[in-house]
């Protein structure tokens, strides 16, 4: 389990840099624009994540056999990246909603 | 008990171009299977189909008498080294060895490329060193079958000799599938040798057969 998480992190590192910037931008926009911007921000996050994971998946094509040799498939890796990132975004936005 | 994988009825086409036309092969543990063929004959496509990364028009794979779609879904059954580099460049050799769950001391004592470089990043090694590391990690990993696509590329003759010796030693523990254009090495190592021609596999017994099929002069 711990090994899978470590491998997921290695796989997702570059994606997290991109998605982290998007998440931070989302939080700043939410603080500036308020609760009314939530729907737009959700779409913003979904669309940028889709583009980000598509680009990331293509960049990592050659490495997938390494992960498969160790027991992790493409679906698991991509799911790890998306779920982790969305979890952080949702938690952050929820906290901001409560604060503001 | 000696395990085996049976693959048959493999058909692959890209548009109207037919690449594989009913390829059949039997892979057994404790055996080395060699695949030769011209560039573009479909060898790598066939290996990718076996590993589930390329979906053909049809295929039938059986393991322990049961039909299976993707051999990777059975933990510890197969691993695969593609033609191109496939390991994250940012990882150190020590980390790669750890992830592959291979005995580090054994690698350090047996292979100079590991004894000097365990703390170095994979990207800091030369191209030849990276290839040797990849081949050895996949070979030494505890799977029942190992598939190597052009393992001798970019490697100097002395190290090819070392890899060949290790392949012969590991034959007692696993089934190994090899393909390479250095055909003499494949001829020497293989228990069963096939030549990919016109979308199907022809059994090869000697260099004469390769001449007959126009692979060598």
């Amino acid at each position: 389990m711990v090994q899978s998480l470590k491998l997921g992190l290695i796989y997702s590192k570059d994606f997290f840099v991109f998605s982290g910037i998007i998440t931070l931008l989302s939080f700043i926009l939410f603080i500036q624009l308020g609760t009314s911007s939530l729907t737009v921000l959700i779409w913003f996050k979904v669309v940028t994540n889709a583009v980000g994971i598509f680009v990331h998946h293509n960049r990592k094509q050659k490495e997938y056999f390494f992960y498969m040799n160790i027991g992790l498939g493409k679906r698991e890796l991509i799911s790890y990246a998306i779920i982790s990132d969305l979890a952080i975004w949702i938690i952050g936005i929820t906290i901001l909603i409560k604060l503001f | 008990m000696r395990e085996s994988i049976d693959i048959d009825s493999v058909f692959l086409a890209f548009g109207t171009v037919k690449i594989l036309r009913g390829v059949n092969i039997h892979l057994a543990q404790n055996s080395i299977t060699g695949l030769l063929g011209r560039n573009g004959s479909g060898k790598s496509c066939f290996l990718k189909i076996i590993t589930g990364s390329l979906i053909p028009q049809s295929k039938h794979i059986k393991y322990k008498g049961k039909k299976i779609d993707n051999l990777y879904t059975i933990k510890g059954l197969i691993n695969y080294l593609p033609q191109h580099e496939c390991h994250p460049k940012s990882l150190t050799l020590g980390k790669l060895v750890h992830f592959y769950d291979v005995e580090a001391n054994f690698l350090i004592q047996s292979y100079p490329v590991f004894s000097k470089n365990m703390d170095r990043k994979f990207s800091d090694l030369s191209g030849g060193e990276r290839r040797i590391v990849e081949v050895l990690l996949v070979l030494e990993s505890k799977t029942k079958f190992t598939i190597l696509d052009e393992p001798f590329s970019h490697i100097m003759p002395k190290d090819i000799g070392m890899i060949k010796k290790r392949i012969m030693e590991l034959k007692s523990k696993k089934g190994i599938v090899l393909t390479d254009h250095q055909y003499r090495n494949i001829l020497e190592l293989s228990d069963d040798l096939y030549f990919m021609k016109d979308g199907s596999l022809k059994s090869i017994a000697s260099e004469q057969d390769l001449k007959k099929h126009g692979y060598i002069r």
Side-chain angles (χ1 to χ4, degrees):
Chain A
M1 174 77 174
V2 173
Q3 169 139 314
S4 296
L5 288 174
K6 279 185 188 171
L7 285 165
L9 196 57
I10 290 163
Y11 168 78
S12 309
K13 220 167 41 174
D14 296 339
F15 172 71
F16 283 159
V17 169
F18 166 77
S19 66
I21 293 168
I22 299 295
T23 296
L24 211 56
L25 196 58
S26 299
F27 294 166
I28 292 167
L29 286 170
F30 181 82
I31 292 166
Q32 301 275 1
L33 303 171
T35 324
S36 58
S37 65
L38 195 55
T39 309
V40 172
L41 288 177
I42 289 169
W43 278 110
F44 174 61
K45 183 62 179 167
V46 165
V47 169
T48 52
N49 253 31
V51 170
I53 206 72
F54 175 77
V55 170
H56 183 72
H57 165 69
N58 283 331
R59 284 183 71 234
K60 291 288 177 180
Q61 281 287 3
K62 288 188 174 184
E63 286 181 16
Y64 280 124
F65 282 115
F66 160 66
Y67 296 104
M68 284 157 66
N69 284 343
I70 292 171
L72 273 183
K74 282 185 197 179
R75 267 188 215 151
E76 286 157 294
L77 290 166
I78 293 170
S79 300
Y80 172 88
I82 293 173
I83 290 168
S84 308
D85 175 61
L86 285 179
I88 292 167
W89 189 88
I90 289 168
I91 290 166
I93 283 286
T94 308
I95 292 169
L96 287 176
I97 288 170
K98 289 198 167 144
L99 287 175
F100 292 94
Chain B
M1 195 179 119
R2 196 178 174 205
E3 294 188 13
S4 65
I5 297 170
D6 287 290
I7 302 149
D8 66 77
S9 309
V10 178
F11 287 86
L12 175 72
F14 294 118
T16 55
V17 180
K18 293 187 172 89
I19 308 293
L20 302 174
R21 306 170 197 221
V23 177
N24 307 320
I25 200 167
H26 173 80
L27 305 175
Q29 254 185 319
N30 316 127
S31 163
I32 299 172
T33 304
L35 281 183
L36 294 171
R38 290 183 176 180
N39 294 327
S41 60
K43 301 184 302 297
S44 294
C45 284
F46 180 58
L47 296 181
K48 286 178 183 170
I49 288 167
I50 295 174
T51 57
S53 64
L54 178 62
I55 313 291
Q57 276 63 37
S58 94
K59 73 174 180 200
H60 187 85
I61 300 180
K62 254 166 109 174
Y63 170 66
K64 286 188 173 174
K66 287 186 185 162
K67 186 175 183 298
I68 185 162
D69 265 338
N70 185 348
L71 292 167
Y72 265 114
T73 53
I74 300 172
K75 199 179 170 184
L77 180 60
I78 65 160
N79 60 7
Y80 171 60
L81 179 72
Q83 284 180 33
H84 55 76
E85 276 179 23
C86 66
H87 291 80
K89 290 190 161 59
S90 60
L91 291 180
T92 61
L93 251 60
K95 278 255 151 60
L96 285 171
V97 169
H98 166 76
F99 284 128
Y100 270 98
D101 192 25
V102 179
E103 185 62 49
N105 287 334
F106 170 75
L107 288 174
I108 289 166
Q109 280 161 21
S110 309
Y111 307 113
V113 71
F114 285 101
S115 63
K116 293 186 292 181
N117 295 309
M118 286 300 254
D119 293 327
R120 287 179 75 190
K121 279 191 187 171
F122 188 62
S123 58
D124 291 339
L125 303 179
S126 71
E129 285 176 326
R130 291 200 296 270
R131 192 59 180 166
I132 294 169
V133 164
E134 290 192 315
V135 171
L136 290 173
L137 283 175
V138 170
L139 260 179
E140 297 290 350
S141 189
K142 300 174 193 74
T143 52
K144 291 177 184 171
F145 291 88
T146 287
I147 301 171
L148 302 172
D149 194 346
E150 300 196 16
F152 306 125
S153 300
H154 311 300
I155 298 177
M156 69 179 191
K158 186 180 167 198
D159 288 329
I160 290 174
M162 167 196 67
I163 291 169
K164 279 163 59 178
K165 184 174 167 239
R166 191 59 186 150
I167 287 171
M168 291 302 285
E169 287 167 358
L170 285 169
K171 188 175 116 167
S172 61
K173 294 182 188 173
K174 48 166 82 184
I176 298 172
V177 182
L178 293 172
T179 171
D180 206 281
H181 284 299
Q182 295 190 26
Y183 71 93
R184 288 203 172 95
N185 291 325
I186 306 297
L187 260 170
E188 191 187 316
L189 289 167
S190 302
D191 298 304
D192 302 303
L193 183 60
Y194 299 94
F195 183 72
M196 184 77 79
K197 188 180 179 184
D198 300 327
S200 65
L201 289 175
K202 321 284 181 206
S203 190
I204 297 291
S206 65
E207 246 185 78
Q208 275 301 109
D209 290 338
L210 290 174
K211 281 183 189 168
K212 196 175 79 182
H213 287 298
Y215 185 62
I216 56 174
R217 287 181 194 211

